[in-house]
Amino acid sequence: EVQLVESGGGLVQPGRSLRLSCAASGFRFDDYAMHWVRQAPGKGLEWVSGISWSSGGVGYGDSVRGRFIISRDNAKNSLYLQMNSLRAEDTAFYFCTKGSNADYDVALKFDSWGQGTLVAVSS
Amino acid sequence: DIQMTQSPSSLSASVGVRVTITCRASQSISSYLNWYQQKPGRAPKLLIYAASNLQSGVPSRFSGSGSGTDFTLTISSLQPEDFATYYCQQSFSTPPTFGQGTKLQIK
């Protein structure tokens, strides 16, 4: 059974940084692209970032490009999201999701999701 | 970016009825369209991929159709556990984008 467990969320002041982690199990982690999708409280879904199986390809949504960095450690079956220069509009639940193939930018569908971790940006 | 528009935004229906939700893309996306179900306080769950393919474990009362710019999700006979919010998502190009959601409520 695929399991994705996020951690690292919390309350942070505007302009500060936070690092999210996602521990994966139940599948061959280094065969698949991984993604972060977020959801502001009471709002819809927004793709944040994706990374290919080998870290050779990465992508970001316009709202986070230049501030967030996605990475992965296949030896640890872990996905990360370094979030810098945080803004109030980054407040959301952040979901770790498994892609359906090795590349982050091909036929993207998210077939497994973690339970999410809440990031709240406020002074 | 490709814009995805769902209709209606909310819908009230009774158990046992047939329900259809529509999703329209701002440009042709072939059959690169997925549907998700999200219940309150839970993560989204993939229901349908590539417009009409049922994800493993999803009940057969769910079906999807369409291609190009217009797509539908149909629930043939609503069950109590189907009351949730449904999202479409295009996988034709990066960034993948979602519809705004359709909240299905009990009538």
Side-chain angles (χ1 to χ4, degrees):
Chain A
E1 179 193 2
V2 173
Q3 283 203 317
L4 301 169
V5 180
E6 303 95 337
S7 60
L11 176 63
V12 61
Q13 293 179 328
R16 303 297 291 266
S17 298
L18 205 61
R19 189 194 196 209
L20 304 183
S21 300
C22 171
S25 61
F27 65 103
R28 183 161 174 151
F29 185 72
D30 56 6
D31 273 353
Y32 294 95
M34 296 293 294
H35 303 263
W36 292 97
V37 174
R38 71 184 180 183
Q39 185 173 38
K43 302 298 184 182
L45 300 166
E46 179 188 15
W47 179 77
V48 174
S49 182
I51 184 167
S52 296
W53 70 278
S54 65
S55 304
V58 298
Y60 299 93
D62 288 345
S63 60
V64 307
R65 188 176 295 113
R67 300 187 298 123
F68 290 11
I69 300 171
I70 192 171
S71 62
R72 65 189 293 162
D73 184 336
N74 288 345
K76 295 182 178 180
N77 288 352
S78 292
L79 175 72
Y80 306 100
L81 186 68
Q82 177 67 40
M83 302 186 296
N84 302 320
S85 303
L86 282 161
R87 305 167 180 168
E89 53 266 35
D90 295 320
T91 294
F93 288 93
Y94 285 74
F95 295 100
C96 168
T97 71
K98 173 183 167 289
S100 56
N101 55 41
D103 296 319
Y104 86 94
D105 56 353
V106 176
L108 293 172
K109 65 177 165 82
F110 310 112
D111 59 20
S112 296
W113 298 63
Q115 84 287 352
T117 187
L118 178 62
V119 173
V121 183
S122 175
S123 54
Chain B
D1 298 359
I2 298 175
Q3 305 303 312
M4 306 301 295
T5 304
Q6 290 180 232
S7 60
S9 294
S10 63
L11 173 61
S12 296
S14 301
V15 171
V17 304
R18 179 186 182 94
V19 167
T20 297
I21 297 169
T22 298
C23 178
R24 175 165 289 176
S26 60
Q27 66 182 75
S28 177
I29 58 171
S30 185
S31 295
Y32 290 93
L33 191 283
N34 307 314
W35 289 98
Y36 300 84
Q37 176 194 65
Q38 186 179 32
K39 296 181 180 180
R42 305 288 297 274
K45 171 188 173 183
L46 178 65
L47 296 177
I48 303 280
Y49 64 95
S52 60
N53 295 275
L54 202 64
Q55 176 71 356
S56 175
V58 174
S60 59
R61 63 181 180 273
F62 290 93
S63 64
S65 64
S67 67
T69 60
D70 295 312
F71 302 86
T72 58
L73 171 69
T74 299
I75 309 172
S76 61
S77 177
L78 266 178
Q79 298 302 301
E81 61 267 31
D82 300 337
F83 292 95
T85 300
Y86 293 84
Y87 294 93
C88 62
Q89 173 244 324
Q90 65 82 15
S91 56
F92 180 79
S93 66
T94 306
T97 47
F98 295 85
Q100 81 280 13
T102 295
K103 187 172 184 178
L104 181 52
Q105 298 174 294
I106 299 174
K107 190 171 187 178

